[in-house]
């Protein structure tokens, strides 16, 4: 009797770019004979279904499948009225409420579900590394996936070394504002620009740093594979420094237009004709993901700056991007 195909449970961080990147990875794994269950928060699960073309969305909702990938969801622990753009609140809810929901979901899928064999692998977004302990308890083999550059990931993996070397303190804040290098072959890095120091709010920086530190403490001993959306030729020195990072990219969201790739909103195709009329390589594309929120001053400042470039631009203004009360007109 032939062995059953591996069945991976894929668990993204609940943000637009992370979900799109993990879906692309899922399509790649599916093409290689690995069955996929894609696990979203319930909030984002229904957003994805609503953004699909009407017939495709109805079919996906009825069959819980899209392009061969089984779709599933668990609660994020927040109420329907909670602000999921509040990253700190979302992360706290995920880390305190979701482990129980995830454990129950995996236990409820211990046998065959919809004709699919039980999970054998757990592939988590590196930002959801807390979930690896749940997967380990359930007896699943684990991998983590990082959707950005290997250099950024290597910086996070180096947190203990950066503290030991005096580059940052135990709360992630720079001890001195001077450039450093992980190894001579890698570009200099500014400690004020490390991924956890990306907010203007020191409390948010500390929260993010603690999350990353906890993730690293979990990833290193549990994950069998550390995958990264990059390729060897692009960041060769990084792989000398951190040989445990495996490049699997570039995985480009939307490179399979006929496949589901994780939009939160219905695609706007009205700009295609306008884009086709512009000279090649002339258009500035502006997008800020699913979490960024501008105040009125920031929004107007960016609008004026784009206009002053004198270049045609395409700016994705999603619902909730700005807290400007007035309706935004084209």
């Amino acid at each position: 009797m032939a062995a059953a195909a591996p069945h991976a449970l894929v668990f993204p961080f609940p943000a637009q770019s992370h979900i799109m990147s993990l879906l692309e990875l899922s399509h790649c794994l599916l093409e290689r004979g690995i069955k996929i269950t894609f696990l979203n928060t319930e909030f984002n699960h229904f957003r994805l279904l609503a953004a699909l073309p009407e017939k495709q969305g109805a079919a996906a909702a009825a069959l819980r499948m899209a392009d061969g990938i089984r779709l599933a969801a668990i609660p994020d622990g927040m109420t329907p009225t909670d602000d999921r753009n509040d990253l700190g609140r979302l992360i706290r809810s995920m880390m305190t409420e979701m482990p129980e929901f995830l454990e129950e979901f995996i236990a409820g899928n211990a046998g065959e579900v919809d004709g699919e064999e039980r999970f054998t692998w757990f592939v988590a977004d590196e930002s959801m590394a807390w979930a690896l302990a749940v997967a380990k308890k359930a007896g699943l083999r684990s991998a983590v996936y990082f959707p950005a550059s290997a250099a950024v990931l290597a910086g996070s993996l180096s947190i203990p070394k950066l503290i030991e070397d005096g580059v940052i303190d135990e709360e992630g804040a720079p001890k001195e504002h001077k450039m450093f290098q992980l190894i001579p072959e890698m570009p200099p890095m500014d400690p004020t620009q490390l991924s956890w120091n990306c907010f203007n709010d020191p409390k948010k920086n500390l929260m993010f740093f603690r999350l990353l530190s906890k993730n690293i403490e979990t990833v290193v001993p549990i994950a069998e594979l550390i995958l990264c959306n990059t390729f060897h030729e692009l960041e060769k020195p990084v792989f000398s420094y951190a040989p445990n990072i495996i490049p699997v990219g570039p995985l480009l969201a939307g490179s399979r237009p006929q496949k589901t790739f994780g939009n939160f909103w219905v695609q706007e195709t009205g700009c295609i004709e306008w884009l086709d009329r512009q000279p090649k390589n002339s258009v500035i594309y502006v997008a800020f993901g699913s979490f960024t929120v501008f105040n009125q001053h920031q929004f107007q400042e960016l609008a004026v700056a784009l206009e002053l470039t004198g270049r045609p631009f395409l700016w994705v203004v999603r619902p909730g991007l700005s807290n400007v009360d007035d309706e935004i007109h084209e």
Side-chain angles (χ1 to χ4, degrees):
M1 182 176 178
H7 187 174
L9 176 62
V10 179
F11 192 38
F13 184 81
Q16 176 76 92
S17 58
H18 290 251
I19 289 173
M20 294 175 78
S21 192
L22 265 292
L23 265 175
E24 178 60 25
L25 176 66
S26 296
H27 284 301
C28 292
L29 295 175
L30 190 68
E31 290 173 350
R32 287 158 176 78
I34 299 173
K35 297 179 179 179
I36 300 294
T37 294
F38 199 83
L39 184 64
N40 268 309
T41 62
E42 289 179 345
F43 181 78
N44 285 333
H45 174 76
F46 291 112
R47 292 170 89 183
L48 296 185
L49 292 180
L52 290 172
E54 186 174 351
K55 290 184 178 179
Q56 187 180 357
L63 300 174
R64 291 184 292 172
M65 295 281 290
D67 301 313
I69 294 174
R70 179 180 171 229
L71 304 177
I74 58 175
D76 59 15
M78 301 179 74
T79 70
T81 58
D82 283 337
D83 181 10
R84 287 169 173 80
N85 283 326
D86 184 338
L87 190 57
R89 189 171 182 179
L90 176 62
I91 288 174
R92 284 193 296 271
S93 181
M94 288 192 304
M95 296 186 72
T96 57
E97 305 294 334
M98 288 187 75
E100 182 179 352
F101 297 133
L102 178 61
E103 187 171 355
E104 290 174 355
F105 177 81
I106 294 175
N109 288 266
E112 288 194 1
V113 179
D114 298 336
E116 301 288 343
E117 291 79 10
R118 68 178 297 275
F119 306 129
T120 53
W121 275 88
F122 183 66
V123 182
D125 193 305
E126 191 271 342
S127 298
M128 304 292 272
W130 56 263
L132 295 177
V134 178
K136 181 180 180 180
K137 182 179 177 181
L140 305 184
R141 302 178 69 181
S142 295
V144 294
Y145 172 77
F146 190 68
S149 75
V152 173
L153 178 56
S156 297
L157 291 170
S158 301
I159 285 175
K161 183 179 186 301
L162 295 177
I163 294 174
E164 182 181 342
D165 292 347
V167 176
I168 58 174
D169 63 23
E170 293 187 353
E171 294 186 343
K175 280 196 169 181
E176 296 182 28
H177 287 214
K178 64 178 183 180
M179 307 293 279
F180 72 95
Q181 290 176 280
L182 293 175
I183 57 173
E185 293 79 12
M186 290 177 63
M189 303 175 76
D190 183 344
T192 67
Q193 299 300 312
L194 290 166
S195 58
W196 55 85
N197 289 323
C198 60
F199 300 101
N200 291 325
D201 183 351
K203 291 183 179 180
K204 286 187 178 180
N205 289 341
L206 178 58
M207 177 206 68
F208 196 25
F209 175 74
R210 287 174 175 170
L211 172 65
L212 291 176
S213 298
K214 190 173 182 62
N215 284 350
I216 298 309
E217 291 173 3
T218 304
V219 165
V220 173
I222 296 180
E224 294 185 40
L225 303 170
I226 302 177
L227 312 176
C228 187
N229 186 13
T230 187
F231 54 99
H232 190 271
E233 293 80 2
L234 182 65
E235 301 186 85
K236 187 176 180 179
V238 181
F239 303 114
S240 298
Y241 173 76
N244 56 335
I245 298 177
I246 303 172
V248 295
L251 301 180
L252 306 176
S255 61
R256 307 163 189 265
Q258 76 281 11
K259 300 288 187 181
T260 302
F261 60 94
N263 281 324
F264 282 174
W265 297 277
V266 176
Q267 292 187 67
E268 171 57 63
T269 59
C271 61
I272 299 299
E273 289 186 8
W274 176 83
L275 277 170
D276 287 342
R277 294 195 300 270
Q278 309 309 311
K280 186 176 180 180
N281 298 325
S282 67
V283 176
I284 299 172
Y285 177 73
V286 187
F288 289 93
S290 53
F291 279 114
T292 302
V293 176
F294 291 97
N295 60 36
Q296 183 171 1
H297 174 75
Q298 291 168 327
F299 189 88
Q300 292 177 337
E301 188 175 59
L302 179 59
V304 170
L306 287 170
E307 186 175 8
L308 289 174
T309 65
R311 298 276 297 277
F313 63 87
L314 183 63
W315 183 5
V316 178
V317 181
R318 61 166 171 76
L321 174 66
S322 173
N323 57 16
V324 179
D325 292 331
D326 296 334
E327 182 180 358
I328 299 169
H329 295 283
E330 184 177 350

